[in-house]
Amino acid sequence: MKVVSVIIGLLLGFAIGNAESRYYDYLTGFDSISANTVDGYLQLKSSRKAPIFDATPYNVDCESFYYKIRLRATTSTGSSLLADYSRHRHGVVWNYVDSRNYSALELCTPPNTYDDLTNRHSLLAEVYTLTDGAKTLHYSGEIASDIDCDGGYNSVCLIYNGKRLKIEIGNHYFKTLCTIDSIKFGTTTAIGCFAAPKTLVTVKRIEFTSKPKPQPDKTAFSRAQIDSIFAATTDPKEGYWQYLDRTMDESKMRLGGKYTVAIVRNGDGYDILYIDGAAKLPDNWKPTMLKGRLDDTIFIDHYNLTWFDAEKEIINDEGNADFTDNILSLKLPLNKAEVRLFKLPR
């Protein structure tokens, strides 16, 4: 029988579209997501020879998310004053399916955990994926600073940007442990923690927040509304913009069309709305569909760029844009592409 508690549902949180936010702590309790609740805390104590897992499904059909858990691990046997320093093993899991299929950050105390010269302890960390029991190692190292190795609480943070998963850890301040490239998630993923035999894991707090994935088919503007906005605006960036030229490595990316777009202020940035010009898959695009997004930065006339390609696939990794003398430069450096547009007279 598999030793796992996987609780399904959207509890003590809220969802907007495909975004989600949840928060659990010892005040709200963990009863809604786990049967392993003791005195307001989530506690795992394996009485078997195998680890015990506790994972909860989260909606990750989104642009990005972060998951933070604050937990501690001690030995579950004995009452010695040195019990916290005895060897124990625990960790955080994601993409959990069963005990033979999951990814994890595993922490354990090394055999000689105490250094007499430096008066400090350390933890061994491994990041790996199990597939049908076969282990693929992503990271291995020893942590001796910015972490509590004496049985106190530490926090682990999983930060996903749509392509890469960054793993951070610390007792008061986070430090980056490693980054996993090209990681895949489904629409949901089970995330949680585990305790090895003779290890007691206590969870004090869990936070999860995701950012909604932009939808190119949805826009709040009609063509008449756009024309009305442009007739009244004093913002020099708002208006119709047309393709001018490009610099592009066509082995990495090809031009989807010589587009005409509308730039409309919306919140902390601008929406880029498709108007005309699609050459590749033109049936995918109708006027006023969301073609991209410019998000404000601290720099004048410089923006973070989110772009939808001809197939409506999102490109948002290191994209940026600049306005200079009625020229809009859209830059996708990882695709070695830059497209320039000029503003049409009103």
Side-chain angles (χ1 to χ4, degrees), residues 220-235 238-239 263-265 273 346:
F221 303 99
S222 68
R223 187 64 182 271
Q225 288 173 317
I226 293 171
D227 289 338
S228 177
I229 291 170
F230 291 168
T233 188
T234 58
D235 186 336
E238 286 192 307
I263 305 294
V264 182
R265 186 75 189 183
L273 306 180
R346 292 179 183 172

Side-chain angles (χ1 to χ4, degrees), residues 4-7 22 24 30 33-34 36 42 44 52-58 65 67-71 90-97 102-106 156-158 185 189-195 201 203 205-208:
V4 59
S5 173
V6 179
I7 313 299
R22 303 199 212 176
Y24 312 93
F30 297 89
I33 62 168
S34 177
N36 299 303
L42 192 160
L44 296 181
I52 181 171
F53 296 85
D54 192 301
T56 300
Y58 293 88
F65 72 80
Y67 171 92
K68 290 194 290 187
I69 183 170
R70 188 157 180 82
L71 73 172
H90 71 291
V92 176
V93 296
W94 58 95
N95 280 345
Y96 181 87
V97 178
Y102 62 87
S103 295
L105 161 63
E106 181 176 303
V156 174
C157 188
L158 308 178
F185 290 96
T189 185
I191 311 176
C193 57
F194 75 91
V201 169
V203 177
R205 182 168 59 250
I206 293 175
E207 299 175 59
F208 176 87

Side-chain angles (χ1 to χ4, degrees), residues 12-149:
L12 290 182
F14 61 87
I16 301 176
N18 56 2
E20 188 175 352
S21 180
R22 303 199 212 176
Y23 182 86
Y24 312 93
D25 65 8
Y26 64 97
L27 294 175
T28 63
F30 297 89
D31 293 328
S32 59
I33 62 168
S34 177
N36 299 303
T37 302
V38 180
D39 297 329
Y41 293 85
L42 192 160
Q43 287 194 345
L44 296 181
K45 180 180 178 181
S46 177
S47 59
R48 308 187 180 198
K49 294 182 179 180
I52 181 171
F53 296 85
D54 192 301
T56 300
Y58 293 88
N59 174 17
V60 293
D61 184 23
C62 55
E63 182 180 12
S64 60
F65 72 80
Y66 74 83
Y67 171 92
K68 290 194 290 187
I69 183 170
R70 188 157 180 82
L71 73 172
R72 60 175 291 183
T74 57
T75 54
S76 59
T77 59
S79 58
S80 168
L81 292 175
L82 298 179
D84 284 349
Y85 303 152
S86 301
R87 196 170 192 194
H88 51 71
R89 185 164 60 90
H90 71 291
V92 176
V93 296
W94 58 95
N95 280 345
Y96 181 87
V97 178
D98 54 41
S99 60
R100 291 173 54 83
N101 295 275
Y102 62 87
S103 295
L105 161 63
E106 181 176 303
L107 301 168
C108 73
T109 51
N112 299 316
T113 182
Y114 187 73
D115 188 327
D116 291 325
L117 294 177
T118 61
N119 191 32
R120 70 177 184 180
H121 304 272
S122 63
L123 289 177
L124 295 178
E126 282 192 350
V127 179
Y128 59 84
T129 296
L130 281 186
T131 305
D132 292 331
K135 186 175 182 178
T136 300
L137 186 65
H138 304 297
Y139 169 86
S140 179
E142 187 170 349
I143 312 172
S145 62
D146 301 317
I147 190 170
D148 193 314
C149 304

Side-chain angles (χ1 to χ4, degrees), residues 139 159 165-170 173-179:
Y139 169 86
I159 304 172
L165 180 69
K166 182 167 68 172
I167 302 168
E168 298 182 338
I169 190 169
Y173 303 100
F174 282 114
K175 63 185 295 183
T176 299
L177 193 64
C178 69
T179 300

Side-chain angles (χ1 to χ4, degrees), residues 10 79 182 197 237 330:
L10 185 63
S79 58
S182 303
K237 297 180 180 68
L330 306 176

